Amino acid sequence: MLKLALFLALALAAVPARADLPPEAPGSVETLPVPFGAHWVWVSDLILERTALIDLDSGRFLGMVNGGYGTIAPLFSRRRGEMYLPTSYYSRRTRGTRTDLLEIYDVRTLSPVAEVVMPGKRATDAVAQGHQALSDDERFAAVFNWTPRTSLSIVDVEQRRFTAEVDIPGCSLVYAAGPRRFFSLCADGAALVVTIDDDGHEVSKARTAPFFDPRKDPVTEK
């Protein structure tokens, strides 16, 4: 017993003294500077379902936004300090009732400020290029749907509301083509141009002549 007591006393004496750390204050929110750094990038992780903000100059991790199930590809507003993230959630994580949203975040705090419910049809693929677009005047967001029927969900990001679902048969993906126009690539090598009005409703659809051969020289989102 004497040897054991001596061993414990020596072991305790060998433990270096630690300075008391100040308690962390929960609930505090840091604010990112604006404008962002020239070499700050958003890195999306399909597996962990998040997108992280990284400073490439310093290698610092600056913040993170979780994104629900599926692809994570945010849209950014130049006029407003907001980020728009199409997301999907299931009530039982990977099953159950599905809810598709366009989530709106403050880019300085990375805090959610609003969300708009969309039809539960959002395309979820490994490559997220061309799956969402912001109109040139940043009023409307269009999100590509694939069920396998293809369509676009139109969201008014200023008024925070879903406005319409526009069918784009035989075509996929979405790109901005003006303040009230979006276009998609079609299987025959053509483009489908969708025009909407100021309320976010479909006005017209027009298909161009094919401008590439999908068998010999395909154009893809990559």
Side-chain angles (χ1 to χ4, degrees), residues 128-214:
Q129 298 289 339
H131 280 55
Q132 49 275 314
L134 195 61
S135 62
D136 287 353
D137 65 349
E138 301 183 353
R139 168 76 184 279
F140 293 97
V143 179
F144 172 52
N145 300 321
W146 191 7
T147 60
R149 170 189 173 191
T150 56
S151 64
L152 302 177
S153 290
I154 308 298
V155 174
D156 185 332
V157 296
E158 290 185 354
Q159 297 186 14
R160 315 298 207 213
R161 63 186 182 92
F162 169 77
T163 62
E165 181 182 358
V166 180
D167 288 328
I168 51 171
C171 306
S172 298
L173 309 178
V174 60
Y175 302 90
R180 296 294 177 269
R181 292 195 307 172
F182 297 96
F183 79 89
S184 300
L185 295 176
C186 304
D188 63 352
L192 181 68
V193 180
V194 174
T195 302
I196 60 175
D197 60 20
D198 287 342
D199 292 323
H201 299 142
E202 177 186 342
V203 173
S204 65
K205 284 195 292 263
R207 187 184 292 261
T208 70
F211 64 95
F212 68 93
D213 188 327

Side-chain angles (χ1 to χ4, degrees), residues 18-101:
R18 294 183 300 177
D20 290 335
L21 296 176
E24 181 180 354
S28 62
V29 178
E30 298 291 335
T31 301
L32 295 168
V34 174
F36 281 3
H39 299 143
W40 290 12
V41 299
W42 292 91
V43 181
S44 294
D45 190 320
L46 176 65
I47 304 300
L48 297 180
E49 300 175 355
R50 68 184 187 183
T51 185
L53 182 60
I54 308 295
D55 183 345
L56 295 183
D57 290 329
S58 66
R60 291 182 60 211
F61 169 84
L62 301 175
M64 179 181 69
V65 172
N66 292 314
Y69 179 82
T71 54
I72 299 174
L75 297 168
F76 297 94
S77 170
R78 296 180 181 179
R79 295 193 297 109
R80 296 181 293 272
E82 294 180 342
M83 176 174 74
Y84 310 106
L85 185 62
T87 60
S88 297
Y89 296 97
Y90 289 89
S91 59
R92 297 294 184 270
R93 178 61 174 164
T94 57
R95 61 184 177 85
T97 303
R98 172 174 171 168
T99 303
D100 281 15
L101 303 169

Side-chain angles (χ1 to χ4, degrees), residues 1-23:
M1 293 294 293
L2 181 59
K3 291 182 179 180
L4 179 59
L6 180 60
F7 173 78
L8 291 175
L10 291 174
L12 290 173
V15 176
R18 294 183 300 177
D20 290 335
L21 296 176

